[in-house]
Amino acid sequence: MLTFALIGAGRIGNVHAANVAGHPGARLGVVVDPVPGAAERLAEPFGARSSTDISAAFADDIDAVIVGSPTPFHVDHILAAVSAGKAVLVEKPVDLDLARVDECIATVGADASRVMVGFNRRFDPGVNELITRAKNGDVGPVRQLTIISRDPAAPPLSYVAQSGGIFRDMAIHDLDLARAVLGDFVEVEALGQRSDPALEEFGDFDGAVTTLRTADGAIATIINSRFCATGYDQRLEAFGALGSLETANHRETSVVFNSQAGSTSRQYQNFFLTRYAAAYRAELDHFIASIEAGTAPQPNLHDGRAALLLADAATESATSGVRVALNDNTVGAGARA
Amino acid sequence: MLTFALIGAGRIGNVHAANVAGHPGARLGVVVDPVPGAAERLAEPFGARSSTDISAAFADDIDAVIVGSPTPFHVDHILAAVSAGKAVLVEKPVDLDLARVDECIATVGADASRVMVGFNRRFDPGVNELITRAKNGDVGPVRQLTIISRDPAAPPLSYVAQSGGIFRDMAIHDLDLARAVLGDFVEVEALGQRSDPALEEFGDFDGAVTTLRTADGAIATIINSRFCATGYDQRLEAFGALGSLETANHRETSVVFNSQAGSTSRQYQNFFLTRYAAAYRAELDHFIASIEAGTAPQPNLHDGRAALLLADAATESATSGVRVALNDNTVGAGARA
Amino acid sequence: MLTFALIGAGRIGNVHAANVAGHPGARLGVVVDPVPGAAERLAEPFGARSSTDISAAFADDIDAVIVGSPTPFHVDHILAAVSAGKAVLVEKPVDLDLARVDECIATVGADASRVMVGFNRRFDPGVNELITRAKNGDVGPVRQLTIISRDPAAPPLSYVAQSGGIFRDMAIHDLDLARAVLGDFVEVEALGQRSDPALEEFGDFDGAVTTLRTADGAIATIINSRFCATGYDQRLEAFGALGSLETANHRETSVVFNSQAGSTSRQYQNFFLTRYAAAYRAELDHFIASIEAGTAPQPNLHDGRAALLLADAATESATSGVRVALNDNTVGAGARA
Amino acid sequence: MLTFALIGAGRIGNVHAANVAGHPGARLGVVVDPVPGAAERLAEPFGARSSTDISAAFADDIDAVIVGSPTPFHVDHILAAVSAGKAVLVEKPVDLDLARVDECIATVGADASRVMVGFNRRFDPGVNELITRAKNGDVGPVRQLTIISRDPAAPPLSYVAQSGGIFRDMAIHDLDLARAVLGDFVEVEALGQRSDPALEEFGDFDGAVTTLRTADGAIATIINSRFCATGYDQRLEAFGALGSLETANHRETSVVFNSQAGSTSRQYQNFFLTRYAAAYRAELDHFIASIEAGTAPQPNLHDGRAALLLADAATESATSGVRVALNDNTVGAGARA
């Protein structure tokens, strides 16, 4: 039985609090949030303590800390938790600055084996099955990986301004999944699209097509959009000589209405917390099981760094218009072409 | 190479004419229709002769006759063709009167092996695969067969008046398919529905649910409707201990439109000649191959009789409100409970 | 905030305990089960009291009781809870004996408005949408309702012996759904199938096709099987003049594997607690919201009685081989034809 | 009524011969093929003349010529036919050499309005619907067009050697479809994949990902493979702010087999002549209707040239590793970046 502290009582904090409370192997010890009342409101129905003081998250009875604070605080909270001897589950991204991630990894050192990065989509039952079967060779070596990933609606410009851009904020999930299936890439190229001219001010895009190549010649293609009228469009397809594996979108219900106008299914699930509800539960499961067993949970800080490196390279390519070579995308800074 | 005569230049005659003309093993010799000009218009583009005189269908150079005349003439035309030594492909039903079918079978005698009844749906590639695999044991012995069969729109009342009713006119296809999968039945029960009150005058229905039981306890359920807003709704499912086999509706195209309203596929194909175009071609293939090989094409006059017997029993059940027992549904008249 | 007692720490009790514990408007007060240790093991992780003594369920701080005890105890527990002033959510069926249900209804009297019967499937998001839209007239008046409902595997014979038979134990869910869509029926007819000869001893079946007719001529067809190789097969289709509404099976994941053998989707979800997990949560939601608002939750004891009446009639029909007329299926005992 | 000459009695010639013979507005006048006996075997069942002499294709009674000869002869046969005053339907590609296509266009001059290039896929009912609805604005301006196009199996190396490479031989269809939806492109980039090392000798690939950008910033992504275990994988998706339109693969039949192993659909149709049978018929329809009406059929020689220009640019990009700019891809030779 692990006792958890939760840092951050926002939208994602609510998901983690309920999952911890409903998990047979976990107890919610404390919720911490600097906003007056926020932690208390979240903690109370689950019988947990609450505090506005971050140090409450590192109390003696706490075994593990979920870092759900705003991105700029992630590294500080990871380091404080690790230094207090706690296991850590940190929301993605680790940080928007690769140098700061490198610093974090260096400081954490061997304790990195008790730090997990919350790339939740890997734990979606369908995505997880696709990754597992692809790596198991069901389609032969994967030659073409196609990821379509579209959000229901663009975030406000105020969010965009500090998001790190479409590649670091949104595509980073897909870059992580591409790595989960194909491993490391040697080359990245991205085309950006701008439907909303207001994005020009931030040098950001609301659409993108990214291609990545491995040393073996496998190609991943990622198609992103910040908006999608039908909902949250999330599909993967891994293709090889023996066949292909694909996941489908989840719809609001399975109901189909057949009429003179044809047959109409419901929209794709419209909200990431609904679409990936099972993924968040499975992610927590894996974290708890790993920590209890003394094994290192995956994905870890190195995976967080590698995805950020790819997002940086994609940003550079979309901006400069050239392919970016990645000489070493898992250990050191990538040298660019 | 078989040379065909086609009796009847109506809607179904047009289908047969084009299929014969496009078949590498067939030639369209003559088209016969009593309506002045009808046969000529159909025959001319295919380079075939035409006539308003039925005897032209039995000319010396004719090997096989397709009987596409109105139902009341079927038996006469079968008998004339057989008597002239021709092979025969007759549209369903053989006749609406069981006694007349029995008489036809008796008169035809051993030549029945050269007479095929056009239950076209058996030859639909999907239906044919389902029947073949079901009989091959892919799902184990079939225990539950479910057939949903709905027409796009009800025929005019003038047609209803002489159609023989929903069971003999429409459900007869489904009763034939039920026999093709499960063999003979020992019990039939039907519930009729009447959405259009004008049908009361004819004692007819525009909806029906028919259940049939075999001696082994397998059950077929047939759900019929004379109308269906989405088009021509045609589905089969054969279920057994090892699994199930099902066919799906065919749509106008495979295009799906995804939008804020959900995902919309096109209507089911709306017209039986479109939906079963491939079936009519495969039916002709089987007829030609059988006659050329000297083997007996299937389904034959006995199958036509058996389906009519089931339709009669279903009509009786829907009218009387009781189950109808079938002591012998392939050789003699069924004794009723 | 409602405080719950849970009677019964079995399989279904576990589901209810977790749902109550994770519900923002509910607290799990006590778990009661006569098996030594069972209640304690279930209650402890949720911080609830436990007892082997039934009276603990009716303590002063308890607002509502979930009756998850074995069926023969349902009525006793309902009556005791109601008499203690508690709201009640009772698992289906209320009882296997219609007379006992009538007695229960009579004794409960006006308090029936605070007793809900757990026909969970009505609360499945897809099923609920189908019922709502069908009643809203989306397809016009429903003329043909088709329910396919198959369990993954037959229960042990020891269970069958006391189950009340396939209609009272299994089809009762489908009979309830048929009522939810079409209202009351005037006629029931059922065919039973027996794949396992050992069922003969109990006069029970492992397959059935039931047809029900309303006074308006709408027909419901229910196809049941105790086994299904592909998993838990659960489909509804409501058809009317304007179109149809259908639900689809839920699969283990959405992954499809395409290969030389074709395209293979995963099995249907195999376990009712998985397939209907969302339904159990929504059922609890509705119960809590109704009790808090002082409105009567649905379905109620009368619905429980009506479904049992249909199950009795179906059992009689399958045994006797005749249609059963239902003169009054909501108030008194149905007169049979 | 148009009388056709068919040049080339090969695989595709067989398709055209049957389609012309079965078309109510067309007559097959003559089949020409230099291989002794080939034209005769194809012509005879359709009652057409045959010849090994090309001049027979330009006889006085011939209105239109279908050029189905090997690619190196296309331009010669187009020019001879046009010079004889015939309308022309020529198989794709016009030629593998852009200069020769330019020469052809220059020589044909104003008669180009009676020359159609057989990009058959545009006429597939689903593809045609997608193009029409996309251009009609159903999804708003198309921002992301995704084309997955995989052949069932790689051709023999002897074919590869003279094919012009994967882009000119295979992707050219997809490049044409991308133009049909999005119009002209300003930039092309392609990544090539080589699973079979024997292709290195020819500088060719058996997989490719091509991205194309329009002046407005729309992006087309084309994913190609010479092999696909599941069959002929052919999908398009056009995405815009209002939604998306997608086509699905066609399967051998609609039968699904449900079992303990999940639910298995049949393979994708495995052969282009089967998959695109309806497209070839619709292509001929359009050609006949246009010529009869005196309007210019589409796609024309300029479309053939534009697709080849894109294929050339993709080949160059895949070989050189840089993006290729297209300054003018419809009128003159494209200047490269």
Side-chain angles (χ1 to χ4, degrees), chain B residues 6-22:
Chain B
L6 169 65
I7 304 178
R11 198 164 63 168
I12 193 69
N14 273 266
V15 172
H16 288 303
N19 287 346
V20 168

PDB file of all heavy atoms in Angstrom, chain B residues 6-22:
ATOM      1  N   LEU B   6     -34.550 -15.471 -73.960  1.00  0.00           N
ATOM      2  CA  LEU B   6     -35.015 -14.774 -72.772  1.00  0.00           C
ATOM      3  C   LEU B   6     -36.495 -14.476 -72.945  1.00  0.00           C
ATOM      4  O   LEU B   6     -36.883 -13.793 -73.907  1.00  0.00           O
ATOM      5  CB  LEU B   6     -34.231 -13.470 -72.592  1.00  0.00           C
ATOM      6  CG  LEU B   6     -34.770 -12.498 -71.549  1.00  0.00           C
ATOM      7  CD1 LEU B   6     -34.689 -13.091 -70.144  1.00  0.00           C
ATOM      8  CD2 LEU B   6     -33.994 -11.183 -71.609  1.00  0.00           C
ATOM      9  N   ILE B   7     -37.323 -14.993 -72.047  1.00  0.00           N
ATOM     10  CA  ILE B   7     -38.761 -14.690 -72.094  1.00  0.00           C
ATOM     11  C   ILE B   7     -39.034 -13.592 -71.076  1.00  0.00           C
ATOM     12  O   ILE B   7     -38.827 -13.802 -69.878  1.00  0.00           O
ATOM     13  CB  ILE B   7     -39.614 -15.939 -71.771  1.00  0.00           C
ATOM     14  CG1 ILE B   7     -39.262 -17.086 -72.735  1.00  0.00           C
ATOM     15  CG2 ILE B   7     -41.095 -15.606 -71.826  1.00  0.00           C
ATOM     16  CD1 ILE B   7     -40.033 -18.387 -72.456  1.00  0.00           C
ATOM     17  N   GLY B   8     -39.474 -12.453 -71.573  1.00  0.00           N
ATOM     18  CA  GLY B   8     -39.774 -11.336 -70.666  1.00  0.00           C
ATOM     19  C   GLY B   8     -38.728 -10.246 -70.794  1.00  0.00           C
ATOM     20  O   GLY B   8     -37.576 -10.440 -70.405  1.00  0.00           O
ATOM     21  N   ALA B   9     -39.141  -9.087 -71.310  1.00  0.00           N
ATOM     22  CA  ALA B   9     -38.198  -7.978 -71.529  1.00  0.00           C
ATOM     23  C   ALA B   9     -38.405  -6.879 -70.492  1.00  0.00           C
ATOM     24  O   ALA B   9     -38.142  -5.709 -70.749  1.00  0.00           O
ATOM     25  CB  ALA B   9     -38.369  -7.429 -72.948  1.00  0.00           C
ATOM     26  N   GLY B  10     -38.855  -7.257 -69.310  1.00  0.00           N
ATOM     27  CA  GLY B  10     -39.074  -6.288 -68.235  1.00  0.00           C
ATOM     28  C   GLY B  10     -37.787  -5.988 -67.484  1.00  0.00           C
ATOM     29  O   GLY B  10     -36.682  -6.260 -67.965  1.00  0.00           O
ATOM     30  N   ARG B  11     -37.950  -5.465 -66.284  1.00  0.00           N
ATOM     31  CA  ARG B  11     -36.834  -5.029 -65.461  1.00  0.00           C
ATOM     32  C   ARG B  11     -35.818  -6.138 -65.238  1.00  0.00           C
ATOM     33  O   ARG B  11     -34.613  -5.947 -65.426  1.00  0.00           O
ATOM     34  CB  ARG B  11     -37.403  -4.581 -64.108  1.00  0.00           C
ATOM     35  CG  ARG B  11     -36.515  -3.734 -63.301  1.00  0.00           C
ATOM     36  CD  ARG B  11     -37.322  -3.046 -62.217  1.00  0.00           C
ATOM     37  NE  ARG B  11     -37.912  -4.005 -61.285  1.00  0.00           N
ATOM     38  CZ  ARG B  11     -38.462  -3.657 -60.120  1.00  0.00           C
ATOM     39  NH1 ARG B  11     -38.525  -2.389 -59.758  1.00  0.00           N
ATOM     40  NH2 ARG B  11     -38.970  -4.571 -59.313  1.00  0.00           N
ATOM     41  N   ILE B  12     -36.301  -7.313 -64.860  1.00  0.00           N
ATOM     42  CA  ILE B  12     -35.371  -8.407 -64.582  1.00  0.00           C
ATOM     43  C   ILE B  12     -34.833  -8.985 -65.892  1.00  0.00           C
ATOM     44  O   ILE B  12     -33.701  -9.472 -65.951  1.00  0.00           O
ATOM     45  CB  ILE B  12     -36.062  -9.496 -63.715  1.00  0.00           C
ATOM     46  CG1 ILE B  12     -35.040 -10.479 -63.158  1.00  0.00           C
ATOM     47  CG2 ILE B  12     -37.141 -10.247 -64.497  1.00  0.00           C
ATOM     48  CD1 ILE B  12     -34.148  -9.860 -62.118  1.00  0.00           C
ATOM     49  N   GLY B  13     -35.638  -8.896 -66.951  1.00  0.00           N
ATOM     50  CA  GLY B  13     -35.177  -9.340 -68.266  1.00  0.00           C
ATOM     51  C   GLY B  13     -33.974  -8.535 -68.724  1.00  0.00           C
ATOM     52  O   GLY B  13     -33.019  -9.074 -69.295  1.00  0.00           O
ATOM     53  N   ASN B  14     -33.992  -7.261 -68.457  1.00  0.00           N
ATOM     54  CA  ASN B  14     -32.852  -6.401 -68.805  1.00  0.00           C
ATOM     55  C   ASN B  14     -31.570  -6.868 -68.132  1.00  0.00           C
ATOM     56  O   ASN B  14     -30.499  -6.875 -68.744  1.00  0.00           O
ATOM     57  CB  ASN B  14     -33.137  -4.952 -68.408  1.00  0.00           C
ATOM     58  CG  ASN B  14     -33.861  -4.183 -69.492  1.00  0.00           C
ATOM     59  OD1 ASN B  14     -33.237  -3.522 -70.308  1.00  0.00           O
ATOM     60  ND2 ASN B  14     -35.187  -4.320 -69.560  1.00  0.00           N
ATOM     61  N   VAL B  15     -31.683  -7.241 -66.861  1.00  0.00           N
ATOM     62  CA  VAL B  15     -30.506  -7.732 -66.140  1.00  0.00           C
ATOM     63  C   VAL B  15     -29.974  -9.000 -66.789  1.00  0.00           C
ATOM     64  O   VAL B  15     -28.773  -9.122 -67.067  1.00  0.00           O
ATOM     65  CB  VAL B  15     -30.854  -7.992 -64.653  1.00  0.00           C
ATOM     66  CG1 VAL B  15     -29.700  -8.676 -63.937  1.00  0.00           C
ATOM     67  CG2 VAL B  15     -31.236  -6.695 -63.964  1.00  0.00           C
ATOM     68  N   HIS B  16     -30.867  -9.934 -67.040  1.00  0.00           N
ATOM     69  CA  HIS B  16     -30.431 -11.205 -67.621  1.00  0.00           C
ATOM     70  C   HIS B  16     -29.834 -10.996 -69.019  1.00  0.00           C
ATOM     71  O   HIS B  16     -28.834 -11.626 -69.371  1.00  0.00           O
ATOM     72  CB  HIS B  16     -31.596 -12.195 -67.677  1.00  0.00           C
ATOM     73  CG  HIS B  16     -31.997 -12.732 -66.345  1.00  0.00           C
ATOM     74  ND1 HIS B  16     -31.127 -13.387 -65.507  1.00  0.00           N
ATOM     75  CD2 HIS B  16     -33.188 -12.701 -65.676  1.00  0.00           C
ATOM     76  CE1 HIS B  16     -31.753 -13.749 -64.397  1.00  0.00           C
ATOM     77  NE2 HIS B  16     -33.018 -13.342 -64.474  1.00  0.00           N
ATOM     78  N   ALA B  17     -30.452 -10.137 -69.810  1.00  0.00           N
ATOM     79  CA  ALA B  17     -29.950  -9.914 -71.179  1.00  0.00           C
ATOM     80  C   ALA B  17     -28.503  -9.419 -71.146  1.00  0.00           C
ATOM     81  O   ALA B  17     -27.634  -9.938 -71.857  1.00  0.00           O
ATOM     82  CB  ALA B  17     -30.843  -8.911 -71.908  1.00  0.00           C
ATOM     83  N   ALA B  18     -28.229  -8.408 -70.308  1.00  0.00           N
ATOM     84  CA  ALA B  18     -26.877  -7.857 -70.225  1.00  0.00           C
ATOM     85  C   ALA B  18     -25.898  -8.900 -69.694  1.00  0.00           C
ATOM     86  O   ALA B  18     -24.763  -9.008 -70.170  1.00  0.00           O
ATOM     87  CB  ALA B  18     -26.859  -6.612 -69.345  1.00  0.00           C
ATOM     88  N   ASN B  19     -26.331  -9.676 -68.710  1.00  0.00           N
ATOM     89  CA  ASN B  19     -25.427 -10.684 -68.151  1.00  0.00           C
ATOM     90  C   ASN B  19     -25.100 -11.776 -69.171  1.00  0.00           C
ATOM     91  O   ASN B  19     -23.954 -12.227 -69.272  1.00  0.00           O
ATOM     92  CB  ASN B  19     -26.031 -11.302 -66.885  1.00  0.00           C
ATOM     93  CG  ASN B  19     -25.995 -10.338 -65.712  1.00  0.00           C
ATOM     94  OD1 ASN B  19     -25.302  -9.317 -65.774  1.00  0.00           O
ATOM     95  ND2 ASN B  19     -26.745 -10.627 -64.667  1.00  0.00           N
ATOM     96  N   VAL B  20     -26.110 -12.213 -69.913  1.00  0.00           N
ATOM     97  CA  VAL B  20     -25.853 -13.229 -70.944  1.00  0.00           C
ATOM     98  C   VAL B  20     -24.909 -12.645 -72.003  1.00  0.00           C
ATOM     99  O   VAL B  20     -23.929 -13.277 -72.390  1.00  0.00           O
ATOM    100  CB  VAL B  20     -27.186 -13.705 -71.578  1.00  0.00           C
ATOM    101  CG1 VAL B  20     -26.911 -14.528 -72.837  1.00  0.00           C
ATOM    102  CG2 VAL B  20     -27.988 -14.528 -70.568  1.00  0.00           C
ATOM    103  N   ALA B  21     -25.193 -11.414 -72.446  1.00  0.00           N
ATOM    104  CA  ALA B  21     -24.369 -10.803 -73.501  1.00  0.00           C
ATOM    105  C   ALA B  21     -22.923 -10.631 -73.057  1.00  0.00           C
ATOM    106  O   ALA B  21     -21.991 -10.790 -73.850  1.00  0.00           O
ATOM    107  CB  ALA B  21     -24.948  -9.449 -73.906  1.00  0.00           C
ATOM    108  N   GLY B  22     -22.704 -10.321 -71.780  1.00  0.00           N
ATOM    109  CA  GLY B  22     -21.350 -10.086 -71.281  1.00  0.00           C
ATOM    110  C   GLY B  22     -20.653 -11.359 -70.824  1.00  0.00           C
ATOM    111  O   GLY B  22     -19.510 -11.303 -70.385  1.00  0.00           O
TER     112      GLY B  22
END
